């Protein structure tokens, strides 16, 4: 269930951004004043941002802050410039518009002020999202490699077990048997762990680090494909 406080925090952040817009429109640029305001709002932002549980919502807020600010200022400036005369001339019924006014000093100043404030604000906020990095030690290819490296998979195969039975006996799903069947042969399939030097390095490094004895069949298979490129303890 989505945290109610999280929803409130998103609304508060939206209001906070509106205040940045208003402030830059109401105040002439003064570095000390703008820096103080930006820091104050950044602290508030950080507090509300930390209360949001949904990582997707947090990622969207970060994206909006980093990419949409310039659209915001352009929209406001365009609104300032959108004066028009909708007088209907009875002769032909055409609506004539007064040409857009030239960007005056006040609008130029506002645009510059807003950009200055946003930059000060972005320099102060802290974006913290949880890392979505996969734990490789729980992936089928890695676990298969460990069972090959420690020799258990070879022992079961020598006893005549099918690859499906090997997978089940070693705690895998039946559908993971293809990792074993391809790794025992010369398949070019990506599930054959011997087709990836990088994966083999990770498996061997794990074994070395955790004092897992590597069987001779595994080390021989590695050596036949990658001579002098893998280090065994």
């Amino acid at each position: 269930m989505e945290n109610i406080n999280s929803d409130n925090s998103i609304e508060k952040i939206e209001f906070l951004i509106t205040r940045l817009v208003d402030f830059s429109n109401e105040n002439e640029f003064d570095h000390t004043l703008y820096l103080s305001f930006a820091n104050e709002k950044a602290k508030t932002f950080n507090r509300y941002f930390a209360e949001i549980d949904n990582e997707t919502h947090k990622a969207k807020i970060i994206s909006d802050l980093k990419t949409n600010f310039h659209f915001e200022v352009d929209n406001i400036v365009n609104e300032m410039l959108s004066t028009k005369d909708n007088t209907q001339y009875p002769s032909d019924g055409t609506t004539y518009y007064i040409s857009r006014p030239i960007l005056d000093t006040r609008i130029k100043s506002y645009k510059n002020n807003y950009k200055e404030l946003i930059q000060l604000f972005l320099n102060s906020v802290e974006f913290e999202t949880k890392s979505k990095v996969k734990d490789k030690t729980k992936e089928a290819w890695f676990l298969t490699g460990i069972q090959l490296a420690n020799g258990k998979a070879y022992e079961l195969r020598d006893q005549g077990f099918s690859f499906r039975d090997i997978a089940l006996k070693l705690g895998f799903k039946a559908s993971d048997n293809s990792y074993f069947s391809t790794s025992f042969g010369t398949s070019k399939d990506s599930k054959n762990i011997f087709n990836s030097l990088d994966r083999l390095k990770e498996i061997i490094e794990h074994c070395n680090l955790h004092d897992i004895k590597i069987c001779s069949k595994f080390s021989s298979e590695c050596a036949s494909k990658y001579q002098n490129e893998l280090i065994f303890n």
Side-chain angles (χ1 to χ4, degrees):
M1 180 181 292
E2 184 67 30
N3 188 336
I4 295 176
N5 290 332
S6 180
D7 291 336
N8 290 338
S9 296
I10 293 174
E11 292 177 4
K12 290 174 180 177
I13 285 176
E14 290 173 352
F15 177 75
L16 184 152
I17 302 305
T18 302
R19 281 297 300 131
L20 292 173
V21 175
D22 293 340
F23 182 87
S24 57
N25 194 25
E26 295 165 358
N27 297 275
E28 293 297 325
F29 180 73
D30 175 273
H31 182 78
T32 302
L33 176 66
Y34 270 51
L35 181 60
S36 174
F37 187 80
N39 287 339
E40 175 193 338
K41 294 307 174 187
K43 288 177 183 177
T44 305
F45 172 90
N46 292 337
R47 185 171 71 253
Y48 292 149
F49 192 71
E51 294 173 354
I52 299 172
D53 296 326
N54 189 306
E55 294 298 314
T56 301
H57 290 169
K58 293 175 85 169
K60 183 178 186 305
I61 289 170
I62 293 172
S63 175
D64 287 348
L65 285 178
K66 289 184 174 180
T67 63
N68 289 351
F69 270 139
H70 68 282
F71 292 120
E72 184 74 33
V73 69
D74 285 342
N75 288 339
I76 294 168
V77 168
N78 287 336
E79 187 175 333
M80 291 177 177
L81 296 172
S82 63
T83 57
K84 60 184 179 180
D85 176 9
N86 285 334
T87 304
Q88 293 286 338
Y89 292 84
S91 58
D92 58 7
T94 305
T95 300
Y96 292 92
Y97 295 93
I98 297 174
S99 61
R100 286 166 59 94
I102 298 173
L103 200 64
D104 61 29
T105 304
R106 180 182 66 84
I107 296 175
K108 283 183 179 178
S109 296
Y110 162 73
K111 194 168 184 176
N112 292 334
N113 291 353
Y114 182 75
K115 289 182 177 179
E116 290 279 358
L117 179 60
I118 293 309
Q119 193 56 56
L120 291 171
F121 173 76
L122 289 176
N123 289 343
S124 301
V125 296
E126 298 171 0
F127 300 126
E128 294 183 7
T129 57
K130 294 177 183 177
S131 174
K132 301 270 186 198
V133 178
K134 285 185 178 180
D135 182 358
K136 69 186 178 191
T137 63
K138 295 180 180 179
E139 294 187 39
W141 68 265
F142 184 87
L143 295 171
T144 299
I146 296 300
Q147 297 302 328
L148 287 166
N150 64 24
K152 291 180 181 179
Y154 290 109
E155 289 176 9
L156 291 172
R157 187 60 177 165
D158 288 344
Q159 293 171 26
F161 287 99
S162 68
F163 292 118
R164 182 180 183 279
D165 288 340
I166 291 173
L168 292 174
K169 282 183 173 292
L170 293 176
F172 292 77
K173 295 181 294 185
S175 58
D176 289 331
N177 78 85
S178 55
Y179 285 95
F180 292 98
S181 62
T182 56
S183 296
F184 268 84
T186 57
S187 170
K188 302 296 184 182
D189 193 287
S190 61
K191 289 184 178 181
N192 180 348
I193 65 164
F194 294 106
N195 287 338
S196 172
L197 176 59
D198 289 336
R199 286 186 171 185
L200 287 173
K201 285 180 177 178
E202 292 188 66
I203 291 164
I204 293 168
E205 182 181 353
H206 180 87
C207 290
N208 291 341
L209 186 63
H210 293 86
D211 296 322
I212 297 173
K213 186 177 179 179
I214 296 176
C215 76
S216 58
K217 285 187 177 181
F218 181 83
S219 57
S220 295
E221 185 68 27
C222 291
S224 68
K225 294 197 70 171
Y226 306 103
Q227 278 189 335
N228 304 319
E229 293 190 68
L230 296 167
I231 300 174
F232 300 90
N233 279 353

